[in-house]
Amino acid sequence: MIIVTGGAGFIGSNIVRALNERSRTDIMIVDDLNGGDKYKNLVGLRFMDYQHKDDFLKLVTGNAAFGSNVEAIFHQGACSDTMEYDVNLMMRTNYDYSKELLRFCIRKQIPLIYASSASVYGMGKKGFREDEACEMPLNPYAFSKLMFDRYARQFFNAAKSKIIGLRYFNVFGPQESHKGKMASIFYQIYKRMKLGGGPRLFKGTDGYGDGEQKRDFIYVKDVAKINLWCLESDVANGIYNCGTGHAHTFNAAAKAMIESMHSKMRTTYCDFPDELRGKYQSFTEADMKNLTAAGYKGGFTNFVIAVEEYCRFLDAGGYYTLGR
C-alpha cells in the first residue's frame, strides 16, 4: 500500500493519478475535505481507502502494528496559504504533524517523500540552492517548511529508509481550482478570461517592469513524475529542488494563455499590493544541479505545450475523470 497525504489536494491528487497510470490502486488517501470543492479531485482517481488526517495521525502514533504493509508515503498535506499569518497554526499543521510522520517512517523503515517549498529561499538574494546560506523565509508558511527541512536533515545519514524533501517551485496544472486565491497565475488568468476580462498582472516592483517579474513555473505532471522517480531510484537522502531551472515572466505566462485560448484580449496591470511589499518573490529559478547529479533525466514538459494542455483540461471540466 502507498499512502498519499494531501491526496485530495493539487499535487497529491496528481501523484495519485500518476500512480494510477502505472496500474497502482492500492493507495490510501489522507486529507481533510472540510469546506470547498476539494472532494471533486477524488472522483477521477482510483484508490483503496480514504482517511481524515487527524484519524491517520492517531493511527501513526497510537497503533504499533500499523505500517507493516506500507510501501511508501508521499507527504503532501499542509496548510499552503502563504497569506496565513497564524504562526502557531502553521507550525502545528506543517511542522508537528510532519515530525510525527517522519519518526513513524524511520521506526518502520518506510520511504518518505515529502513536500518542501521554494518559498524558503525568500527573495533569493543568495541564490536558489539547497544550502542553508540561501534560506531566508518571508512568511509563516515558508518558515514552517524550513523548520521541518532542518529537522529532517538530522536523520538523513542515520536513517535506514529513504527520506527525500522536494522544494517545489511555482507549480501549475490540473486539479488546482479548489485553491482559490492560492491557485497559479494560469488558473487565475483562465477564470478571468472566461468572464470576459483579459489577463491582469502586477505593475513593476523590485526593479522589474510591469509583468516582468519572473518565476520558475513547473507543470504539476512533472512534479508527480519527479516524486515517483525519487521513490524508484537510488537517490540519496536529502533535499532537492523541484523546478525546471528556467524562469519565465508573468507576461510570458499571460501571452501563452492568450494564445492557448485563441483570444485577442490584452494584458492590463494593477498596482502592486502594499501588503505584499517585502514578502513577494519577484524572481525564482531553481538550481537543479543536485537533482541532475542524483541521476534525474526525466526532463520537463515544454512551457507552451504545458499551458496549452492545461487550458484544454480546464475547458473539458477541470477535473480528472475515470474515462480520460
Side-chain angles (χ1 to χ4, degrees):
M1 176 175 69
I2 293 177
I3 296 173
V4 183
T5 74
F10 173 34
I11 297 174
S13 66
N14 276 276
I15 291 174
V16 175
R17 179 73 172 189
L19 288 166
N20 286 172
E21 289 173 348
R22 299 185 183 204
S23 300
R24 295 296 301 264
T25 59
D26 56 333
I27 302 165
M28 176 188 284
I29 288 178
V30 176
D31 214 309
D32 181 354
L33 300 179
N34 183 43
D37 292 336
K38 190 161 60 170
Y39 72 91
K40 294 180 181 179
N41 284 347
L42 297 179
V43 175
L45 305 178
R46 299 187 187 277
F47 52 97
M48 180 180 68
D49 198 7
Y50 166 86
Q51 198 161 48
H52 187 275
K53 67 180 183 67
D54 294 341
D55 295 329
F56 177 67
L57 187 60
K58 292 176 184 176
L59 189 63
V60 164
T61 58
N63 187 337
F66 178 70
S68 60
N69 65 334
V70 177
E71 180 181 333
I73 297 179
F74 291 98
H75 180 38
Q76 309 298 306
C79 176
S80 58
D81 188 347
T82 58
M83 297 301 290
E84 174 58 69
Y85 285 93
D86 185 336
V87 184
N88 288 326
L89 171 65
M90 280 292 183
M91 292 300 283
R92 285 194 301 270
T93 305
N94 296 353
Y95 181 65
D96 294 339
Y97 195 105
S98 299
K99 284 199 304 180
E100 292 290 356
L101 197 52
L102 174 60
R103 289 195 285 256
F104 166 75
C105 287
I106 290 174
R107 286 197 309 271
K108 298 291 185 175
Q109 296 186 26
I110 297 170
L112 176 68
I113 317 297
Y114 75 87
S116 182
S117 170
S119 65
V120 304
Y121 298 122
M123 296 292 194
K125 291 180 179 179
K126 295 189 177 181
F128 297 90
R129 304 182 312 280
E130 304 94 327
D131 188 311
E132 289 185 344
C134 301
E135 297 166 354
M136 305 167 68
L138 298 174
N139 55 51
Y141 167 72
F143 174 74
S144 70
K145 286 294 187 179
L146 176 57
M147 288 301 99
F148 182 65
D149 281 348
R150 290 183 175 177
Y151 183 80
R153 279 174 172 147
Q154 302 174 76
F155 303 95
F156 287 157
N157 293 331
K160 295 180 180 180
S161 56
K162 182 174 291 185
I163 308 169
I164 302 293
L166 292 174
R167 285 184 172 167
Y168 298 151
F169 277 68
N170 300 94
V171 188
F172 72 99
Q175 306 249 110
E176 63 169 323
S177 60
H178 67 281
K179 292 174 67 67
K181 68 181 186 298
M182 290 293 112
S184 73
I185 187 64
F186 302 92
Y187 181 76
Q188 306 292 350
I189 290 174
Y190 179 88
K191 296 296 289 185
R192 183 175 172 82
M193 290 178 68
K194 284 295 183 180
L195 292 173
R200 196 177 189 203
L201 305 176
F202 289 148
K203 290 181 179 179
T205 186
D206 295 332
Y208 293 86
D210 295 351
E212 287 297 295
Q213 300 92 340
K214 302 177 75 172
R215 295 281 181 89
D216 189 336
F217 298 112
I218 180 170
Y219 199 34
V220 70
K221 292 184 179 182
D222 294 331
V223 171
K225 179 170 63 177
I226 291 170
N227 270 272
L228 296 193
W229 176 83
C230 284
L231 176 62
E232 296 163 355
S233 72
D234 293 328
V235 59
N237 287 354
I239 297 168
Y240 297 88
N241 282 338
C242 187
T244 67
H246 300 284
H248 290 82
T249 66
F250 281 90
N251 282 327
K255 180 175 183 289
M257 288 297 295
I258 290 170
E259 292 177 351
S260 295
M261 296 178 71
H262 309 291
S263 172
K264 294 183 179 179
M265 293 180 177
R266 298 180 61 184
T267 300
T268 58
Y269 304 92
C270 62
D271 290 338
F272 190 83
D274 288 337
E275 62 268 24
L276 290 182
R277 294 189 185 280
K279 304 172 184 177
Y280 183 80
Q281 290 180 305
S282 293
F283 174 79
T284 66
E285 187 172 77
D287 184 325
M288 296 300 293
K289 292 186 183 69
N290 286 344
L291 193 68
T292 300
Y296 180 71
K297 299 178 181 177
F300 303 95
T301 308
N302 174 273
F303 177 72
V304 173
I305 291 174
V307 173
E308 290 174 347
E309 181 179 293
Y310 185 29
C311 285
R312 290 195 299 270
F313 180 87
L314 291 172
D315 285 342
Y319 296 97
Y320 289 128
T321 65
L322 294 180
R324 66 177 176 91

